[in-house]
Amino acid sequence: MRGTFEDQGGLFSYISPDARVPQNHPLRKVRALVRDVLGEMSRSFSSLYAKEGRPSIPPEQLLSALLLQVFYGIRSERQLMEQLDYNLLYRWFVGLSPDDRVWNPTTFTKNRERLQNGDVFTKFMTRLLNLAEVKALLSDEHFSVDGTLIEAWASHKSFRPKDGSDGDDGTNFHGQTRKNDTHASTSDPDSRLYRKATGREARLCYMGHATMENRNGLAVAGMVTHASGTAERRAAEKMLKAKAKQAGRRITAGADKAYDTADHVANLRAIEVTPHVTQNNTIGKTGRSRRSAIDERTTRHEGYGMSQTRRAMIECIFGWGKQHGTMRKTKHRGIGAVAADFLLNLIAYNLIRIPKLLAA
């Protein structure tokens, strides 16, 4: 028998959003982790706001909404507000009741900048990794480093001479020699023109860098720099120096052959880091074989082979961020905003992985 359709849109509902979310939904465990970290950050949040004035968007809800944006790859904060308005799962995760009004996208963006300037994303990652159940999953001795390109929110047409000597609208740049020394993007001056490899196209982009612990493949540090040929190595030295100081003893760092240079290997050894870098013995353009900075003093140890096996896991972090998150092409301009979004992607990856590791 066919049921009778009656439009019930005007009736009240007495079922809470929590009751509508399945008990086995993966976001339940993620939400519990997020709430634990946010509870410890109350004092940090208080220092970012004035004692008087109109109440702003609660930072706990603001940060939860930004994580949702990364989890589901939502393209913009305007679209995030639209989906938050009608999606009960999103409202439950953020902590809004069905009757609460969502925020204006412009107001949301301005409040996001407050968290970005207060280094809240770095503090969130640190506190997440310091949770007792999470800390047991981490290695404090063996790490891997790598970098990835993040395409900037700027077009080739915006890459114009710094002295304004072109005299046109930038649409016809064929046959011109364009370099970062003489040219800059008018829409995102922090981006840099960079070619990933010989024969590949040059793009305006940033470079994101991550440090991964080797036990379970969780991201433990991240930063964004201008794209250049030395940026990966300089960023790795900075992040690994902090990790070695935190560990209080010598640590190991796996990396691909792009890190196999004499100065970088020497710099790592000087800061108590054993470089488990892939040997680069390729034949150069001149036909001569390149000499690796890593010799048998390092490669003969069993740990070198183990680091080489584990370091490939860092590609999963970048792969997840570009396929599911918001890392492939940033929607932000300026290195500060891009760095904050990159850290959010690392945090989101960890939040997805940690419940699975705890249940294993």
Side-chain angles (χ1 to χ4, degrees), residues 29 33 125 127-143 211-220 243 310 313 347 349-360:
K29 295 179 180 179
L33 284 171
M125 174 179 273
R127 290 185 180 271
L128 173 64
L129 298 176
N130 284 334
L131 292 177
E133 63 270 30
V134 178
K135 201 168 185 178
L137 301 172
L138 307 177
S139 170
D140 62 352
E141 186 178 2
H142 305 293
F143 300 91
T211 301
M212 177 195 76
E213 57 81 32
N214 285 358
R215 181 176 298 168
N216 286 298
L218 296 176
V220 294
K243 289 301 172 187
R310 301 297 290 178
M313 293 177 62
I347 292 169
Y349 177 83
N350 286 346
L351 287 170
I352 294 295
R353 290 270 294 137
I354 288 171
K356 299 176 183 178
L357 294 172
L358 293 175

Side-chain angles (χ1 to χ4, degrees), residues 237 240-241 244 249-253 265 267-276:
E237 291 165 10
L240 291 172
K241 183 178 181 179
R249 62 180 184 277
R250 181 170 287 274
I251 63 175
T252 68
V265 170
N267 290 341
L268 290 185
R269 287 174 174 156
I271 58 174
E272 298 296 313
V273 177
T274 300
H276 286 175

Side-chain angles (χ1 to χ4, degrees), residues 246-285:
Q246 182 180 351
R249 62 180 184 277
R250 181 170 287 274
I251 63 175
T252 68
D256 60 33
K257 63 182 181 180
Y259 295 80
D260 184 13
T261 63
D263 67 320
H264 177 62
V265 170
N267 290 341
L268 290 185
R269 287 174 174 156
I271 58 174
E272 298 296 313
V273 177
T274 300
H276 286 175
V277 177
T278 303
Q279 290 181 297
N280 186 5
N281 293 318
T282 57
I283 298 176
K285 295 180 180 179

